[in-house]
Amino acid sequence: MSEITITLPDGSHQQVARGTTALQVAEAIGPRLAQAAVAAQFNEQVIDLTRPLEEDGSLAILTFKDAAGKDVYWHSAAHVMAA
């Protein structure tokens, strides 16, 4: 399996296998980040944590502390409440 390069917000780079998920990257960084994660932003697009990463790009793990993380959380909660 080939590798891709992930650039993190601090400018560091990680080599991961193609198909690795944002959640797996968060787990590699630390268990607390993985537990707090609600979504990710990959190449400026908000994605699900379980979406496989297939190309090089920039990745930010979103938590409830981030404005985009709050939006994802509230949007998902609205769907749960509607159901």
Side-chain angles (χ1 to χ4, degrees):
M1 186 174 269
S2 62
E3 291 194 337
I4 59 173
T5 302
I6 301 299
T7 304
L8 300 173
D10 66 358
S12 65
H13 301 281
Q14 285 193 4
Q15 294 291 121
V16 299
R18 186 177 308 277
T20 298
T21 65
L23 182 56
Q24 290 170 317
V25 173
E27 289 168 341
I29 294 170
R32 289 179 65 195
L33 177 61
Q35 188 174 27
V38 295
Q41 189 169 9
F42 186 67
N43 291 336
E44 305 301 321
Q45 180 182 6
V46 176
I47 63 168
D48 186 88
L49 289 167
T50 60
R51 179 176 161 190
L53 305 175
E54 300 293 339
E55 61 189 22
D56 295 345
S58 60
L59 177 72
I61 305 299
L62 303 176
T63 69
F64 194 73
K65 291 180 182 180
D66 304 298
K70 286 179 183 162
D71 289 342
V72 169
Y73 184 87
W74 290 330
H75 181 86
S76 298
H79 282 281
V80 171
M81 296 294 288

